[in-house]
């Protein structure tokens, strides 16, 4: 069985393509998965959905600068200089890539039953799910307050009158988001589908059609709407 989702544009985040084995049984929690992320040239808002952190050395070549909400590291020659040493699950990062390339990592999938803590104010979060999920469904366990926001690299949504409204309709694995919380809490990401295969690919954007106007969201680390 093969399932391919639509390719992103300026209004959507990184595309997720899944390649599933036959059968509907979920992976055991101790199953090792391989995930391939396509990074575009320039800045990428990145997260991973493994259960444990990834060391900076595991990110590989071609990514000279990585930022978290509070730390950063820069590659100079063969060494990394900075306070950021490990990329944690369910956490958002900004990675600058010299050129478009694929990053492959291996490990245990994140357990969506594990609560994720966020503080009042802005939080850099990652989407640790196995599939792209409608924003309201993914954050079903999150206690949203009026005026809370989720900002992605190419869209945003605001919590207003009991629902999320805006250009960001879904969250996708491999992407990072800025979450503005009205109150600190711990919530569980809502996984609506089972994991079907130990190999998943999180693909980069496709080139725009000829004559189609577009902007390059990868030119800058931050976004403007």
């Amino acid at each position: 069985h093969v399932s391919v989702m639509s390719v992103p544009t300026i209004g959507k985040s990184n595309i997720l393509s899944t390649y599933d084995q036959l059968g509907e049984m979920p992976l055991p929690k101790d199953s090792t998965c391989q995930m391939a992320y396509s990074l575009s040239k320039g800045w990428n808002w990145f997260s991973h959905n493994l259960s444990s952190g990834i060391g900076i050395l595991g990110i590989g070549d071609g990514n000279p600068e990585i930022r978290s909400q509070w730390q950063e590291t820069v590659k100079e020659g063969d060494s990394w200089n900075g306070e950021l040493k490990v990329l944690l699950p369910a956490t958002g990062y900004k990675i600058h890539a010299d050129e478009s390339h694929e990053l492959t990592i291996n490990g245990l999938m994140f357990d969506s039953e594990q609560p994720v803590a966020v503080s009042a104010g802005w939080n850099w979060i990652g989407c640790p799910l196995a599939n792209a999920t409608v924003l309201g469904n993914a954050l079903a366990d999150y206690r949203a307050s009026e005026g809370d926001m989720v900002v992605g690299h190419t869209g945003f949504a605001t919590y207003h009158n009991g629902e999320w409204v805006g250009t960001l309709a879904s969250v996708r694995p491999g992407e990072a988001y800025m979450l503005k919380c009205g109150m600190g809490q711990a919530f569980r990401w809502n996984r609506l589908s089972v994991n079907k295969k130990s190999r998943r690919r999180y693909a980069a954007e496709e080139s725009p059609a000829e004559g189609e106007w577009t902007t390059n969201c990868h030119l800058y680390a931050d976004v403007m709407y």
Side-chain angles (χ1 to χ4, degrees), residues 136 139 142 144-148 158-165:
L139 298 182
Y142 172 76
S145 304
E146 183 74 14
D148 282 5
T158 303
Y159 193 75
H160 179 61
N161 289 338
E163 63 179 346
W164 293 100
V165 293

Side-chain angles (χ1 to χ4, degrees), residues 54-61 66 75 78-80 85 87 103:
I54 303 172
I56 290 297
L57 294 179
I59 299 302
D61 297 329
I66 305 175
K75 191 171 186 180
D78 295 327
S79 62
W80 290 95
K85 304 297 183 183
L87 275 59
L103 170 64

Side-chain angles (χ1 to χ4, degrees), residues 6-15 40 43 45 151-157 166-170 172 175 177 204-209 212-220 222-225:
S6 60
V7 176
T9 65
I10 189 62
K12 293 183 289 184
S13 299
N14 285 354
I15 178 64
S40 298
W43 286 99
W45 287 23
V151 178
H153 207 176
T154 56
F156 70 95
T167 59
L168 184 66
S170 64
R172 301 169 182 267
E175 286 288 320
Y177 301 89
E205 304 173 20
E206 70 172 7
S207 300
E212 178 182 348
W213 182 88
T214 185
T215 59
N216 185 356
C217 65
H218 302 286
L219 287 178
Y220 307 101
D222 302 314
V223 295
M224 294 181 293
Y225 298 116

Side-chain angles (χ1 to χ4, degrees), residues 118-159:
V118 290
S119 303
W122 288 100
N123 300 262
W124 290 23
I125 63 170
C127 177
L129 301 175
N131 299 293
T133 306
V134 173
L135 178 61
N137 292 335
L139 298 182
D141 189 53
Y142 172 76
R143 300 188 302 279
S145 304
E146 183 74 14
D148 282 5
M149 295 184 66
V150 181
V151 178
H153 207 176
T154 56
F156 70 95
T158 303
Y159 193 75

Side-chain angles (χ1 to χ4, degrees), residues 26-41:
L27 287 171
K29 290 185 178 180
D30 60 350
S31 290
T32 298
C33 298
Q34 181 182 85
M35 284 153 284
Y37 303 87
S38 291
L39 301 181
S40 298
K41 181 179 180 180

